[in-house]
Amino acid sequence: MSASPATPAGRPVVVKIGGAAGVDLENVCADVVELVRQGERVVVVNGGSEAGDRLLGSLGLERPEATTANGNVVRLTYASTLRALTMAWVGEVNKAVVLALLAKGIPALGLCGADGRVLTARRRPPLKLQDADGRMRIDREHLAGEVSSVNSALLGMLLDGGYVPVVCPPAVTEDGVLVNVDADHVASSIAAALGAKALIILSNVPGLLADPKDPSTLVRSSDDVEGCMPLAGGRMRYKLEAVRRALQGGVPAAYVSASRVARPVFSALEEAGGTKFTLREKGGADAGA
């Protein structure tokens, strides 16, 4: 379903706007507008974790946590919670991004993974979970997936038409089931499928920190994503995994940076803030931090 990557002259920039509390949506959209007016082709990916949790709470729902057989703690998504999360991701956050861009004169078009099958996913297999009393059970009802293909032909057509696609989870399986997919993974999959010149992941943190409690320990650049994994905790591990996928998929540079700074997208691209990741050249020296 994925088409060939765009030609180098038309390689887009993929900007992922985090969904956690404290992300400055208007700030990021202003930079997207400036990029477009400079002639860049831009795809935006939005998350929505804070909006999703807020809506679940208002409906008296929650995403339960469970421990897998190998000891990992996971948040589970079921049909009832995915309906609410879809309302938040697609109906609230995605449309807020679209409206922010439209208000600045930029034609934007919002899509979730099911629209035009822009994101097809493989549903994850049943989970072996450990209950509080130590007994094991098999959960076949959870709705989580991994992006398996991107409809790059559709996104390319929109970009060629002058639109800014704004894409968000959920994705859809081959048999038409909506599944929860990680928005950082969505962004890296789109960047690789379109042959993007850069992936920028913006969130409520300044970048990768050697000490998560000390902003002065920001890692400015690295060509060794795997080597940086021990520094990453919580959601940062998902971001580094997305960076790794993008770089291995042919994206030359990926950035993890803060949204609540002046000109956040350009701050990342100009290496004034955040962490820049690249792939190590064969035979090259270690990158500095």
Side-chain angles (χ1 to χ4, degrees):
M1 196 157 175
S2 295
S4 299
T7 60
R11 298 178 73 172
V13 175
V14 176
V15 178
K16 193 267 179 171
I17 306 175
V23 171
D24 192 331
L25 184 63
E26 290 292 332
N27 205 17
V28 178
C29 287
D31 274 7
V32 171
V33 169
E34 187 172 343
L35 277 175
V36 173
R37 289 178 175 161
Q38 290 178 2
E40 296 286 356
R41 293 149 61 93
V42 184
V43 178
V44 176
V45 175
N46 72 268
S49 56
E50 190 271 336
D53 288 343
R54 178 166 26 86
L55 182 56
L56 286 173
S58 71
L59 296 172
L61 299 171
E62 62 179 11
R63 291 179 64 194
E65 289 188 345
T67 303
T68 64
N70 59 10
N72 292 330
V73 177
V74 295
R75 295 185 76 188
L76 301 173
T77 304
Y78 297 109
S80 58
T81 49
L82 186 57
R83 282 193 293 270
L85 291 171
T86 300
M87 285 189 279
W89 299 334
V90 183
E92 180 181 345
V93 183
N94 185 270
K95 297 318 165 200
V97 177
V98 169
L99 289 173
L101 294 173
L102 291 177
K104 300 177 190 303
I106 298 299
L109 191 148
L111 301 162
C112 81
D115 296 317
R117 284 193 179 273
V118 71
L119 301 171
T120 302
R122 289 184 296 269
R123 185 172 175 178
R124 288 181 181 163
L127 281 172
K128 189 175 183 180
L129 303 176
Q130 181 176 322
D131 287 333
D133 60 6
R135 288 186 296 182
M136 304 304 297
R137 63 183 174 90
I138 303 298
D139 185 334
R140 293 182 172 83
E141 302 301 318
H142 76 100
L143 293 170
E146 294 279 344
V147 176
S148 56
S149 67
V150 173
N151 190 343
S152 51
L154 173 59
L155 292 175
M157 182 175 65
L158 292 172
L159 291 167
D160 289 344
Y163 289 93
V164 173
V166 183
V167 186
C168 70
V172 65
T173 64
E174 290 287 356
D175 53 351
V177 177
L178 288 179
V179 291
N180 181 13
V181 291
D182 180 68
D184 292 322
H185 183 196
V186 168
S188 66
S189 297
I190 290 174
L194 293 180
K197 64 172 69 173
L199 167 64
I200 305 161
I201 298 177
L202 299 174
S203 71
N204 59 350
V205 295
L208 177 65
L209 303 177
D211 178 354
K213 298 179 180 178
D214 185 356
S216 70
T217 64
L218 176 70
V219 177
R220 301 305 301 266
S221 65
S222 176
D223 62 0
D224 182 12
V225 180
E226 290 295 337
C228 287
M229 282 294 184
L231 302 178
R235 288 294 312 170
M236 184 56 70
R237 291 192 65 85
Y238 289 89
K239 298 184 190 307
L240 292 196
E241 177 63 22
V243 164
R244 183 186 65 80
R245 291 173 190 251
L247 295 176
Q248 291 181 346
V251 180
Y255 306 81
V256 177
S257 193
S259 71
R260 297 184 70 86
V261 297
R263 303 178 76 239
V265 175
F266 289 97
S267 175
L269 288 172
E270 295 165 4
E271 300 180 45
T275 306
K276 178 183 180 179
F277 293 95
T278 55
L279 278 184
R280 180 173 299 176
E281 294 183 9
K282 293 183 178 179
D286 290 351

